[in-house]
Amino acid sequence: MASGTKADQVGYQLDYSKNELRKCIKEYPTKEVKKGLEKLYRKVEKDICEEEGMLQVVWVNIQNAFIHQYQRFTKLIGRCYPDSNITFEFSLKDIEEFFSTSQHSH
């Protein structure tokens, strides 16, 4: 779209076809996203000191950034591939649960 392609025409570009989008989304199943967030939490927990709740602040900021990107990609998919019914395997509610579970399991 930055090159001037209209949003509803993106899906007709060979490199950005619906099949390519499906392949890309398939690389991030719910199980892998959850596992990745758990791994990220452990890394952040290891690298951030507990002083004054710094871990909580960092984790909330990561969560907000992740949710922002999820919403951005969801909107782009809706604009560029209208009526395609292509979505992520996980929802916003799932993401919030992943972040909460990762934090409370440690």
Side-chain angles (χ1 to χ4, degrees):
M1 290 183 348
S3 65
T5 304
K6 293 181 181 179
D8 61 348
Q9 296 297 311
V10 170
Y12 297 106
Q13 303 292 320
L14 187 58
D15 291 341
Y16 305 111
S17 69
K18 290 178 188 176
N19 285 333
E20 289 300 316
L21 176 61
R22 284 186 187 99
K23 285 181 198 175
C24 183
I25 288 176
K26 194 174 184 176
E27 291 182 27
Y28 301 97
T30 303
K31 180 180 174 182
E32 292 301 314
V33 171
K34 183 177 180 181
K35 190 186 319 180
L37 289 174
E38 289 170 350
K39 184 177 178 181
L40 177 61
Y41 185 82
R42 287 190 301 272
K43 182 169 177 46
V44 170
E45 184 179 43
K46 178 182 170 191
D47 293 341
I48 301 289
C49 67
E50 274 295 324
E51 187 174 324
E52 297 181 31
M54 185 61 100
L55 176 62
Q56 176 76 15
V57 171
V58 170
W59 192 241
V60 166
N61 280 303
I62 291 171
Q63 177 180 355
N64 291 340
F66 191 95
I67 288 171
H68 175 76
Q69 288 299 319
Y70 171 83
Q71 291 171 329
R72 181 174 164 260
F73 289 132
T74 300
K75 286 178 187 173
L76 280 172
I77 291 169
R79 285 178 51 208
C80 296
Y81 304 90
D83 303 320
S84 67
N85 295 322
I86 299 173
T87 60
F88 289 102
E89 193 177 290
F90 48 89
S91 67
L92 181 57
K93 184 178 177 181
D94 293 329
I95 293 169
E96 291 169 343
E97 185 179 313
F98 298 160
F99 273 91
S100 179
T101 302
S102 295
Q103 187 175 11
H104 294 305
S105 66
H106 294 274

